[in-house]
Amino acid sequence: MWQGHELFLSSLPKLVPYIPVTLLCFLAPTAVSLVLGTLICRIRVGRKNALYYITSLFVSFFRGTPGLVQIFLFFFGLPKVFELFGVNINGWDAVVFYIIATCCNFSSFVSEALRGAYEAVDKGQIEAGYSIGYTRFQCFYHVIAPQTLQIALPNLKNLEIDLLKGVATAYVIGAIDVMGAAQRIISQHRGYGQIWILLAAAALYFVMNVVIEAVFNFLTYICNRHERVRI
Amino acid sequence: MPMVELKQIKKRLGGEDVLNGVDLSVGEGDVVVILGPSGSGKTTLLRTINFLNPADSGTVTVGGLTVDSAKHHHKEVLALRRKTGMVFQNYGLFKNKTVLRNITEGLTVVRKIKKEEAEKRAYELLEKVNLADKAGAYPAELSGGQQQRVGICRALALSPEVILFDEPTSALDPELVGEVLKTMKAVALTGITMIVVTHEISFAREVADKVVYMEGGVIVEEGTPREVIDHPKDERTLRFLRSILEDSMDYMI
Ligand SMILES: Nc1ncnc2c1ncn2[C@@H]1O[C@H](COP(=O)(O)OP(=O)(O)OP(=O)(O)O)[C@@H](O)[C@H]1O
Ligand SMILES: [Mg+2]
């Protein structure tokens, strides 16, 4: 046992180089979902046309099935789909498949968080925007988006934290992030002292989460300025 | 030529006819007060003018621009909205923006006026309503009366050709009604065209050039304040005026 913490300390520098991969698997879906999630949300609060039903199906699939299953489906399924068009993507890194699957999954969750928030925006604010002559885009950009985001922030924060922790599942398809690297070290040690190596990985995820939480708390602080009144 | 002209405005809402062919003509610089019982369609009518809630049929003319409610293009609607301002019952200030930004937003975003110039204009308006010292405050920090005065400034900032007021004082505590009415009187004196839905009979009497009485989605009676308020011809107008005058009597006791 007394050697455990040494293993913990010696694994840390071996895991740290994989933090960028973890961050990539976290930031790429975050960025994509801001755009894709907003688009899906926009479609789902609008008229019930074909696009509405297609996106609804998309959202229910990705929200209703386990992320782990989706990762495998993309990892094994996507090359088959590309094969139909004569493109071979078997050489792609597993990280790419993880990111594509997660972008779809995460955008679905983000779109639902945004939709709930949009519905909670006071419609009087939107009308006030139109009354001073805003175009639809100006109203979206200056009134709807900031207020929707403010309402959605607590939910988004929870989703982002889950997203980061979820990256740990990427190793199942062979993507090497912090968790994947930890698994590798464990097998090099033939399973010996795996708890300490896993704890090292846990510590790194924890630190990254603390940063994410701080960023979101800061955003919330800024967005809620107007509610901290000085009366 | 009238500044605002409504022709045969009709609208159904929730399976009911809310507006049954309203015709209204408002001259340039006139103040028109619309009276009527709850549910008579006053708010609905006002919102068909700037197409926040377009009528099913009928035409709306503001400052020479005529838009057909039945087939309107969003560009026409935008142009029409940019000729009108609106003051809301619940103030409708952007709650995440300061008083100053509430007023300058329309100028900088819609009119593309430089920020400094927009702020100068905003301060001029705020001075007039004695709120220059609140420029940096958020709406939640203001009383209802102060918020409504800012709402009036926001509408005025864009120099619209007509301002629509939907019961601007009815959400206010009684002691705050006076300050808002005073501001509205000052606005009326500047010669801007105003259409005001209100239950403040004294305001109608003092400021209105024309009083319109609505009931059941039609205009029952219109004329000068003297004609409509003091000598109503229609039974329904009389009954309505009596009821609100009685209410205010109760209030005094
Ligand atoms: N969105 C809606 N759906 C269905 N019916 C509506 C809707 N909005 C208004 N109505 C109905 O239209 C009628 C007119 O409403 P409106 O708000 O214009 O009345 P009002 O004269 O402004 O009344 P108040 O003095 O209470 O403000 C009412 O009978 C109301 O129930
Ligand atoms: Mg009303």
Side-chain angles (χ1 to χ4, degrees):
Chain A
M1 264 321 255
W2 53 271
Q3 282 172 326
H5 71 281
E6 275 172 20
L7 198 51
F8 176 87
L9 290 175
S10 68
S11 332
L12 272 180
K14 290 186 203 144
L15 296 179
V16 167
Y18 292 92
I19 287 181
V21 180
T22 300
L23 287 182
L24 180 71
C25 290
F26 165 78
L27 291 175
T30 299
V32 169
S33 72
L34 267 184
V35 179
L36 192 58
T38 306
L39 279 177
I40 295 175
C41 168
R42 174 67 195 75
I43 292 167
R44 299 242 299 156
V45 297
R47 253 179 248 122
K48 293 201 160 82
N49 51 20
L51 211 52
Y52 170 92
Y53 289 106
I54 293 168
T55 49
S56 300
L57 197 69
F58 180 91
V59 170
S60 15
F61 173 78
F62 282 101
R63 273 164 46 94
T65 57
L68 196 61
V69 175
Q70 293 162 18
I71 297 166
F72 277 122
L73 278 177
F74 272 74
F75 185 62
F76 294 116
L78 216 51
K80 296 227 158 50
V81 174
F82 273 74
E83 228 172 71
L84 293 178
F85 300 97
V87 185
N88 185 344
I89 59 168
N90 286 316
W92 284 9
D93 196 295
V95 170
V96 178
F97 291 97
Y98 177 79
I99 289 177
I100 295 174
T102 308
C103 281
C104 296
N105 174 291
F106 196 61
S107 297
S108 301
F109 280 95
V110 168
S111 80
E112 281 298 280
L114 292 178
R115 194 168 70 115
Y118 170 80
E119 257 140 37
V121 172
D122 174 12
K123 296 299 172 283
Q125 300 275 300
I126 299 170
E127 294 193 334
Y130 287 133
S131 84
I132 58 169
Y134 277 176
T135 60
R136 294 229 306 249
F137 178 77
Q138 286 167 341
C139 205
F140 171 79
Y141 186 78
H142 293 280
V143 182
I144 300 172
Q147 298 201 18
T148 303
L149 217 53
Q150 187 215 337
I151 299 170
L153 266 180
N155 259 332
L156 289 178
K157 175 170 132 180
N158 289 335
L159 288 176
E160 294 284 351
I161 288 172
D162 280 344
L163 174 67
L164 181 83
K165 292 187 294 190
V167 179
T169 59
Y171 81 92
V172 297
I173 54 168
I176 308 298
D177 90 310
V178 171
M179 183 64 185
Q183 289 289 342
R184 227 187 230 175
I185 301 173
I186 290 169
S187 58
Q188 278 161 8
H189 286 77
R190 298 176 207 291
Y192 167 77
Q194 61 172 330
I195 287 175
W196 296 99
I197 299 164
L198 288 172
L199 277 175
L204 293 184
Y205 283 111
F206 183 76
V207 171
M208 285 186 268
N209 256 333
V210 169
V211 175
I212 292 168
E213 211 165 331
V215 167
F216 269 88
N217 289 347
F218 179 68
L219 286 178
T220 309
Y221 177 83
I222 293 195
C223 288
N224 291 0
R225 259 180 327 213
H226 64 277
E227 281 170 6
R228 286 188 301 277
V229 292
R230 294 176 295 237
I231 290 173
Chain B
M1 203 179 70
M3 174 59 81
V4 177
E5 189 152 43
L6 307 179
K7 281 193 184 144
Q8 281 305 303
I9 296 291
K10 290 186 183 149
K11 185 160 182 73
R12 283 177 74 84
L13 272 172
E16 265 179 79
D17 291 313
V18 177
L19 298 174
N20 299 303
V22 176
D23 294 294
L24 181 67
S25 175
V26 182
E28 184 172 351
D30 279 359
V31 176
V32 171
V33 167
I34 301 178
L35 300 174
S38 183
S40 57
K42 307 180 296 291
T43 298
T44 311
L45 181 68
L46 220 51
R47 290 158 56 87
T48 61
I49 300 178
N50 64 354
F51 284 74
L52 280 185
N53 210 341
D56 300 331
S57 63
T59 61
V60 179
T61 307
V62 176
L65 173 70
T66 302
V67 183
D68 187 345
S69 303
K71 44 177 196 289
H72 52 272
H73 191 267
H74 68 91
K75 284 201 176 129
E76 289 176 324
V77 170
L78 195 63
L80 188 134
R81 281 185 187 151
R82 289 180 177 179
K83 290 168 175 281
T84 57
M86 191 167 210
V87 174
F88 297 87
Q89 187 169 6
N90 300 316
Y91 330 127
L93 296 180
F94 302 124
K95 60 186 163 71
N96 54 344
K97 296 191 167 108
T98 61
V99 165
L100 189 68
R101 284 284 303 283
N102 261 281
I103 301 173
T104 57
E105 277 273 306
L107 291 167
T108 53
V109 174
V110 177
R111 290 283 168 80
K112 315 281 185 223
I113 288 173
K114 274 207 223 71
K115 194 170 157 234
E116 301 79 57
E117 231 170 288
E119 288 183 355
K120 195 166 146 261
R121 171 110 178 94
Y123 273 112
E124 278 167 21
L125 288 163
L126 284 172
E127 295 282 356
K128 285 192 191 142
V129 296
N130 286 323
L131 286 174
D133 57 324
K134 297 284 185 195
Y138 286 98
E141 297 172 78
L142 305 183
S143 73
Q146 291 172 329
Q147 288 191 57
Q148 195 56 296
R149 283 184 284 155
V150 174
I152 294 171
C153 289
R154 178 175 67 181
L156 278 176
L158 294 149
S159 335
E161 301 191 30
V162 54
I163 303 191
L164 313 171
F165 293 80
D166 187 13
E167 303 205 32
T169 57
S170 62
L172 295 173
D173 289 339
E175 71 271 21
L176 301 177
V177 170
E179 62 188 55
V180 172
L181 290 181
K182 206 175 112 207
T183 305
M184 289 169 61
K185 275 180 209 167
V187 173
L189 286 176
T190 65
I192 192 166
T193 312
M194 294 166 54
I195 302 179
V196 186
V197 172
T198 183
H199 290 299
E200 299 291 334
I201 295 294
S202 61
F203 177 84
R205 220 193 279 273
E206 280 177 59
V207 185
D209 297 292
K210 174 148 104 177
V211 173
V212 171
Y213 177 71
M214 269 184 86
E215 194 174 318
V218 289
I219 291 179
V220 171
E221 189 165 352
E222 60 180 294
T224 63
R226 187 173 285 272
E227 286 166 351
V228 178
I229 298 172
D230 297 330
H231 306 286
K233 290 192 206 65
D234 197 287
E235 184 67 25
R236 288 168 286 178
T237 317
L238 189 63
R239 207 179 327 123
F240 170 76
L241 286 167
R242 246 194 223 133
S243 72
I244 60 169
L245 288 176
E246 265 165 28
D247 280 355
S248 58
M249 295 288 259
D250 289 350
Y251 208 81
M252 277 185 252
I253 299 162

PDB file of all heavy atoms in Angstrom, chain B residues 181-208:
ATOM      1  N   LEU B 181     -48.769  60.405 -16.315  1.00  0.00           N
ATOM      2  CA  LEU B 181     -49.712  61.213 -17.091  1.00  0.00           C
ATOM      3  C   LEU B 181     -49.105  62.571 -17.425  1.00  0.00           C
ATOM      4  O   LEU B 181     -49.296  63.101 -18.521  1.00  0.00           O
ATOM      5  CB  LEU B 181     -51.025  61.396 -16.315  1.00  0.00           C
ATOM      6  CG  LEU B 181     -51.883  60.136 -16.188  1.00  0.00           C
ATOM      7  CD1 LEU B 181     -53.162  60.455 -15.414  1.00  0.00           C
ATOM      8  CD2 LEU B 181     -52.238  59.559 -17.559  1.00  0.00           C
ATOM      9  N   LYS B 182     -48.357  63.111 -16.466  1.00  0.00           N
ATOM     10  CA  LYS B 182     -47.710  64.402 -16.702  1.00  0.00           C
ATOM     11  C   LYS B 182     -46.730  64.308 -17.876  1.00  0.00           C
ATOM     12  O   LYS B 182     -46.716  65.167 -18.768  1.00  0.00           O
ATOM     13  CB  LYS B 182     -46.960  64.833 -15.420  1.00  0.00           C
ATOM     14  CG  LYS B 182     -46.790  66.331 -15.302  1.00  0.00           C
ATOM     15  CD  LYS B 182     -46.167  66.702 -13.967  1.00  0.00           C
ATOM     16  CE  LYS B 182     -44.778  67.251 -14.173  1.00  0.00           C
ATOM     17  NZ  LYS B 182     -43.873  67.076 -13.063  1.00  0.00           N
ATOM     18  N   THR B 183     -45.959  63.225 -17.878  1.00  0.00           N
ATOM     19  CA  THR B 183     -45.020  63.016 -18.983  1.00  0.00           C
ATOM     20  C   THR B 183     -45.769  62.897 -20.304  1.00  0.00           C
ATOM     21  O   THR B 183     -45.370  63.470 -21.321  1.00  0.00           O
ATOM     22  CB  THR B 183     -44.193  61.737 -18.740  1.00  0.00           C
ATOM     23  OG1 THR B 183     -43.557  61.843 -17.476  1.00  0.00           O
ATOM     24  CG2 THR B 183     -43.148  61.534 -19.820  1.00  0.00           C
ATOM     25  N   MET B 184     -46.885  62.154 -20.278  1.00  0.00           N
ATOM     26  CA  MET B 184     -47.647  61.984 -21.520  1.00  0.00           C
ATOM     27  C   MET B 184     -48.209  63.306 -22.015  1.00  0.00           C
ATOM     28  O   MET B 184     -48.271  63.562 -23.221  1.00  0.00           O
ATOM     29  CB  MET B 184     -48.767  60.962 -21.312  1.00  0.00           C
ATOM     30  CG  MET B 184     -48.230  59.543 -21.181  1.00  0.00           C
ATOM     31  SD  MET B 184     -49.471  58.385 -20.628  1.00  0.00           S
ATOM     32  CE  MET B 184     -50.668  58.519 -21.939  1.00  0.00           C
ATOM     33  N   LYS B 185     -48.631  64.151 -21.071  1.00  0.00           N
ATOM     34  CA  LYS B 185     -49.132  65.467 -21.479  1.00  0.00           C
ATOM     35  C   LYS B 185     -48.023  66.265 -22.145  1.00  0.00           C
ATOM     36  O   LYS B 185     -48.235  66.911 -23.168  1.00  0.00           O
ATOM     37  CB  LYS B 185     -49.633  66.245 -20.249  1.00  0.00           C
ATOM     38  CG  LYS B 185     -51.061  65.913 -19.886  1.00  0.00           C
ATOM     39  CD  LYS B 185     -51.492  66.696 -18.669  1.00  0.00           C
ATOM     40  CE  LYS B 185     -52.551  65.898 -17.913  1.00  0.00           C
ATOM     41  NZ  LYS B 185     -52.818  66.431 -16.577  1.00  0.00           N
ATOM     42  N   ALA B 186     -46.823  66.204 -21.551  1.00  0.00           N
ATOM     43  CA  ALA B 186     -45.686  66.926 -22.130  1.00  0.00           C
ATOM     44  C   ALA B 186     -45.388  66.405 -23.531  1.00  0.00           C
ATOM     45  O   ALA B 186     -45.099  67.176 -24.443  1.00  0.00           O
ATOM     46  CB  ALA B 186     -44.466  66.776 -21.228  1.00  0.00           C
ATOM     47  N   VAL B 187     -45.502  65.091 -23.701  1.00  0.00           N
ATOM     48  CA  VAL B 187     -45.263  64.508 -25.026  1.00  0.00           C
ATOM     49  C   VAL B 187     -46.308  65.013 -26.016  1.00  0.00           C
ATOM     50  O   VAL B 187     -45.987  65.394 -27.143  1.00  0.00           O
ATOM     51  CB  VAL B 187     -45.292  62.965 -24.959  1.00  0.00           C
ATOM     52  CG1 VAL B 187     -45.224  62.360 -26.351  1.00  0.00           C
ATOM     53  CG2 VAL B 187     -44.150  62.435 -24.097  1.00  0.00           C
ATOM     54  N   ALA B 188     -47.554  65.054 -25.552  1.00  0.00           N
ATOM     55  CA  ALA B 188     -48.633  65.522 -26.427  1.00  0.00           C
ATOM     56  C   ALA B 188     -48.367  66.958 -26.888  1.00  0.00           C
ATOM     57  O   ALA B 188     -48.623  67.314 -28.039  1.00  0.00           O
ATOM     58  CB  ALA B 188     -49.970  65.434 -25.707  1.00  0.00           C
ATOM     59  N   LEU B 189     -47.828  67.774 -25.982  1.00  0.00           N
ATOM     60  CA  LEU B 189     -47.568  69.177 -26.318  1.00  0.00           C
ATOM     61  C   LEU B 189     -46.494  69.330 -27.389  1.00  0.00           C
ATOM     62  O   LEU B 189     -46.437  70.358 -28.061  1.00  0.00           O
ATOM     63  CB  LEU B 189     -47.152  69.955 -25.058  1.00  0.00           C
ATOM     64  CG  LEU B 189     -48.299  70.258 -24.087  1.00  0.00           C
ATOM     65  CD1 LEU B 189     -47.777  70.932 -22.827  1.00  0.00           C
ATOM     66  CD2 LEU B 189     -49.368  71.103 -24.770  1.00  0.00           C
ATOM     67  N   THR B 190     -45.632  68.320 -27.547  1.00  0.00           N
ATOM     68  CA  THR B 190     -44.607  68.426 -28.584  1.00  0.00           C
ATOM     69  C   THR B 190     -45.209  68.256 -29.976  1.00  0.00           C
ATOM     70  O   THR B 190     -44.522  68.422 -30.979  1.00  0.00           O
ATOM     71  CB  THR B 190     -43.499  67.361 -28.424  1.00  0.00           C
ATOM     72  OG1 THR B 190     -44.077  66.066 -28.623  1.00  0.00           O
ATOM     73  CG2 THR B 190     -42.847  67.425 -27.056  1.00  0.00           C
ATOM     74  N   GLY B 191     -46.477  67.868 -30.022  1.00  0.00           N
ATOM     75  CA  GLY B 191     -47.153  67.812 -31.315  1.00  0.00           C
ATOM     76  C   GLY B 191     -47.079  66.465 -32.002  1.00  0.00           C
ATOM     77  O   GLY B 191     -47.447  66.325 -33.163  1.00  0.00           O
ATOM     78  N   ILE B 192     -46.605  65.443 -31.276  1.00  0.00           N
ATOM     79  CA  ILE B 192     -46.534  64.119 -31.881  1.00  0.00           C
ATOM     80  C   ILE B 192     -47.925  63.468 -31.849  1.00  0.00           C
ATOM     81  O   ILE B 192     -48.724  63.726 -30.939  1.00  0.00           O
ATOM     82  CB  ILE B 192     -45.481  63.260 -31.153  1.00  0.00           C
ATOM     83  CG1 ILE B 192     -45.180  61.999 -31.959  1.00  0.00           C
ATOM     84  CG2 ILE B 192     -45.933  62.893 -29.752  1.00  0.00           C
ATOM     85  CD1 ILE B 192     -43.931  61.306 -31.479  1.00  0.00           C
ATOM     86  N   THR B 193     -48.193  62.655 -32.833  1.00  0.00           N
ATOM     87  CA  THR B 193     -49.484  61.967 -32.890  1.00  0.00           C
ATOM     88  C   THR B 193     -49.502  60.833 -31.865  1.00  0.00           C
ATOM     89  O   THR B 193     -48.534  60.092 -31.753  1.00  0.00           O
ATOM     90  CB  THR B 193     -49.693  61.381 -34.297  1.00  0.00           C
ATOM     91  OG1 THR B 193     -49.405  62.392 -35.257  1.00  0.00           O
ATOM     92  CG2 THR B 193     -51.103  60.879 -34.484  1.00  0.00           C
ATOM     93  N   MET B 194     -50.589  60.744 -31.109  1.00  0.00           N
ATOM     94  CA  MET B 194     -50.666  59.711 -30.075  1.00  0.00           C
ATOM     95  C   MET B 194     -52.005  58.979 -30.128  1.00  0.00           C
ATOM     96  O   MET B 194     -53.044  59.602 -30.326  1.00  0.00           O
ATOM     97  CB  MET B 194     -50.517  60.339 -28.670  1.00  0.00           C
ATOM     98  CG  MET B 194     -49.142  60.934 -28.409  1.00  0.00           C
ATOM     99  SD  MET B 194     -49.035  62.027 -26.962  1.00  0.00           S
ATOM    100  CE  MET B 194     -49.662  61.041 -25.631  1.00  0.00           C
ATOM    101  N   ILE B 195     -51.945  57.677 -29.948  1.00  0.00           N
ATOM    102  CA  ILE B 195     -53.180  56.903 -29.769  1.00  0.00           C
ATOM    103  C   ILE B 195     -53.059  56.229 -28.407  1.00  0.00           C
ATOM    104  O   ILE B 195     -52.112  55.469 -28.163  1.00  0.00           O
ATOM    105  CB  ILE B 195     -53.370  55.852 -30.874  1.00  0.00           C
ATOM    106  CG1 ILE B 195     -53.381  56.535 -32.238  1.00  0.00           C
ATOM    107  CG2 ILE B 195     -54.649  55.056 -30.647  1.00  0.00           C
ATOM    108  CD1 ILE B 195     -53.530  55.574 -33.412  1.00  0.00           C
ATOM    109  N   VAL B 196     -53.980  56.543 -27.517  1.00  0.00           N
ATOM    110  CA  VAL B 196     -53.835  56.143 -26.121  1.00  0.00           C
ATOM    111  C   VAL B 196     -55.046  55.332 -25.669  1.00  0.00           C
ATOM    112  O   VAL B 196     -56.175  55.817 -25.731  1.00  0.00           O
ATOM    113  CB  VAL B 196     -53.706  57.389 -25.214  1.00  0.00           C
ATOM    114  CG1 VAL B 196     -53.411  56.970 -23.777  1.00  0.00           C
ATOM    115  CG2 VAL B 196     -52.632  58.335 -25.720  1.00  0.00           C
ATOM    116  N   VAL B 197     -54.803  54.116 -25.228  1.00  0.00           N
ATOM    117  CA  VAL B 197     -55.865  53.355 -24.565  1.00  0.00           C
ATOM    118  C   VAL B 197     -55.703  53.603 -23.072  1.00  0.00           C
ATOM    119  O   VAL B 197     -54.630  53.379 -22.517  1.00  0.00           O
ATOM    120  CB  VAL B 197     -55.731  51.847 -24.855  1.00  0.00           C
ATOM    121  CG1 VAL B 197     -56.715  51.059 -24.001  1.00  0.00           C
ATOM    122  CG2 VAL B 197     -55.955  51.561 -26.327  1.00  0.00           C
ATOM    123  N   THR B 198     -56.740  54.121 -22.453  1.00  0.00           N
ATOM    124  CA  THR B 198     -56.624  54.394 -21.026  1.00  0.00           C
ATOM    125  C   THR B 198     -58.009  54.475 -20.393  1.00  0.00           C
ATOM    126  O   THR B 198     -59.010  54.627 -21.079  1.00  0.00           O
ATOM    127  CB  THR B 198     -55.868  55.719 -20.768  1.00  0.00           C
ATOM    128  OG1 THR B 198     -55.706  55.915 -19.369  1.00  0.00           O
ATOM    129  CG2 THR B 198     -56.606  56.910 -21.351  1.00  0.00           C
ATOM    130  N   HIS B 199     -58.028  54.328 -19.082  1.00  0.00           N
ATOM    131  CA  HIS B 199     -59.279  54.543 -18.359  1.00  0.00           C
ATOM    132  C   HIS B 199     -59.231  55.870 -17.622  1.00  0.00           C
ATOM    133  O   HIS B 199     -60.125  56.178 -16.830  1.00  0.00           O
ATOM    134  CB  HIS B 199     -59.522  53.407 -17.364  1.00  0.00           C
ATOM    135  CG  HIS B 199     -59.850  52.103 -18.026  1.00  0.00           C
ATOM    136  ND1 HIS B 199     -60.962  51.957 -18.818  1.00  0.00           N
ATOM    137  CD2 HIS B 199     -59.224  50.910 -18.035  1.00  0.00           C
ATOM    138  CE1 HIS B 199     -60.998  50.712 -19.274  1.00  0.00           C
ATOM    139  NE2 HIS B 199     -59.941  50.062 -18.820  1.00  0.00           N
ATOM    140  N   GLU B 200     -58.169  56.674 -17.855  1.00  0.00           N
ATOM    141  CA  GLU B 200     -58.033  57.959 -17.171  1.00  0.00           C
ATOM    142  C   GLU B 200     -58.877  59.009 -17.883  1.00  0.00           C
ATOM    143  O   GLU B 200     -58.446  59.651 -18.833  1.00  0.00           O
ATOM    144  CB  GLU B 200     -56.562  58.385 -17.141  1.00  0.00           C
ATOM    145  CG  GLU B 200     -55.649  57.443 -16.402  1.00  0.00           C
ATOM    146  CD  GLU B 200     -55.901  57.433 -14.902  1.00  0.00           C
ATOM    147  OE1 GLU B 200     -56.409  58.455 -14.373  1.00  0.00           O
ATOM    148  OE2 GLU B 200     -55.612  56.411 -14.264  1.00  0.00           O
ATOM    149  N   ILE B 201     -60.091  59.160 -17.395  1.00  0.00           N
ATOM    150  CA  ILE B 201     -61.022  60.077 -18.052  1.00  0.00           C
ATOM    151  C   ILE B 201     -60.504  61.514 -18.021  1.00  0.00           C
ATOM    152  O   ILE B 201     -60.641  62.260 -18.983  1.00  0.00           O
ATOM    153  CB  ILE B 201     -62.409  60.009 -17.362  1.00  0.00           C
ATOM    154  CG1 ILE B 201     -63.008  58.617 -17.556  1.00  0.00           C
ATOM    155  CG2 ILE B 201     -63.341  61.069 -17.906  1.00  0.00           C
ATOM    156  CD1 ILE B 201     -63.353  58.295 -18.982  1.00  0.00           C
ATOM    157  N   SER B 202     -59.848  61.874 -16.895  1.00  0.00           N
ATOM    158  CA  SER B 202     -59.387  63.258 -16.796  1.00  0.00           C
ATOM    159  C   SER B 202     -58.315  63.539 -17.854  1.00  0.00           C
ATOM    160  O   SER B 202     -58.279  64.624 -18.436  1.00  0.00           O
ATOM    161  CB  SER B 202     -58.820  63.532 -15.403  1.00  0.00           C
ATOM    162  OG  SER B 202     -57.722  62.683 -15.161  1.00  0.00           O
ATOM    163  N   PHE B 203     -57.479  62.544 -18.130  1.00  0.00           N
ATOM    164  CA  PHE B 203     -56.473  62.714 -19.176  1.00  0.00           C
ATOM    165  C   PHE B 203     -57.170  62.915 -20.527  1.00  0.00           C
ATOM    166  O   PHE B 203     -56.805  63.797 -21.303  1.00  0.00           O
ATOM    167  CB  PHE B 203     -55.554  61.494 -19.224  1.00  0.00           C
ATOM    168  CG  PHE B 203     -54.536  61.538 -20.323  1.00  0.00           C
ATOM    169  CD1 PHE B 203     -53.335  62.211 -20.144  1.00  0.00           C
ATOM    170  CD2 PHE B 203     -54.775  60.923 -21.553  1.00  0.00           C
ATOM    171  CE1 PHE B 203     -52.391  62.261 -21.165  1.00  0.00           C
ATOM    172  CE2 PHE B 203     -53.837  60.970 -22.572  1.00  0.00           C
ATOM    173  CZ  PHE B 203     -52.639  61.645 -22.381  1.00  0.00           C
ATOM    174  N   ALA B 204     -58.167  62.084 -20.776  1.00  0.00           N
ATOM    175  CA  ALA B 204     -58.892  62.193 -22.041  1.00  0.00           C
ATOM    176  C   ALA B 204     -59.502  63.582 -22.187  1.00  0.00           C
ATOM    177  O   ALA B 204     -59.415  64.223 -23.229  1.00  0.00           O
ATOM    178  CB  ALA B 204     -59.987  61.130 -22.105  1.00  0.00           C
ATOM    179  N   ARG B 205     -60.112  64.042 -21.120  1.00  0.00           N
ATOM    180  CA  ARG B 205     -60.783  65.335 -21.138  1.00  0.00           C
ATOM    181  C   ARG B 205     -59.793  66.481 -21.422  1.00  0.00           C
ATOM    182  O   ARG B 205     -60.051  67.349 -22.233  1.00  0.00           O
ATOM    183  CB  ARG B 205     -61.439  65.565 -19.782  1.00  0.00           C
ATOM    184  CG  ARG B 205     -62.804  66.213 -19.863  1.00  0.00           C
ATOM    185  CD  ARG B 205     -63.210  66.666 -18.492  1.00  0.00           C
ATOM    186  NE  ARG B 205     -63.756  65.573 -17.691  1.00  0.00           N
ATOM    187  CZ  ARG B 205     -65.025  65.233 -17.718  1.00  0.00           C
ATOM    188  NH1 ARG B 205     -65.858  65.858 -18.521  1.00  0.00           N
ATOM    189  NH2 ARG B 205     -65.457  64.277 -16.944  1.00  0.00           N
ATOM    190  N   GLU B 206     -58.626  66.407 -20.764  1.00  0.00           N
ATOM    191  CA  GLU B 206     -57.680  67.520 -20.872  1.00  0.00           C
ATOM    192  C   GLU B 206     -56.855  67.486 -22.147  1.00  0.00           C
ATOM    193  O   GLU B 206     -56.525  68.520 -22.707  1.00  0.00           O
ATOM    194  CB  GLU B 206     -56.688  67.475 -19.694  1.00  0.00           C
ATOM    195  CG  GLU B 206     -57.216  68.038 -18.416  1.00  0.00           C
ATOM    196  CD  GLU B 206     -56.189  67.864 -17.313  1.00  0.00           C
ATOM    197  OE1 GLU B 206     -55.070  68.380 -17.478  1.00  0.00           O
ATOM    198  OE2 GLU B 206     -56.500  67.181 -16.319  1.00  0.00           O
ATOM    199  N   VAL B 207     -56.460  66.280 -22.571  1.00  0.00           N
ATOM    200  CA  VAL B 207     -55.432  66.199 -23.604  1.00  0.00           C
ATOM    201  C   VAL B 207     -55.973  65.764 -24.963  1.00  0.00           C
ATOM    202  O   VAL B 207     -55.451  66.174 -25.998  1.00  0.00           O
ATOM    203  CB  VAL B 207     -54.304  65.229 -23.160  1.00  0.00           C
ATOM    204  CG1 VAL B 207     -53.169  65.213 -24.162  1.00  0.00           C
ATOM    205  CG2 VAL B 207     -53.782  65.620 -21.786  1.00  0.00           C
ATOM    206  N   ALA B 208     -57.030  64.948 -24.969  1.00  0.00           N
ATOM    207  CA  ALA B 208     -57.439  64.334 -26.232  1.00  0.00           C
ATOM    208  C   ALA B 208     -58.045  65.337 -27.202  1.00  0.00           C
ATOM    209  O   ALA B 208     -58.748  66.262 -26.803  1.00  0.00           O
ATOM    210  CB  ALA B 208     -58.437  63.214 -25.958  1.00  0.00           C
TER     211      ALA B 208
END
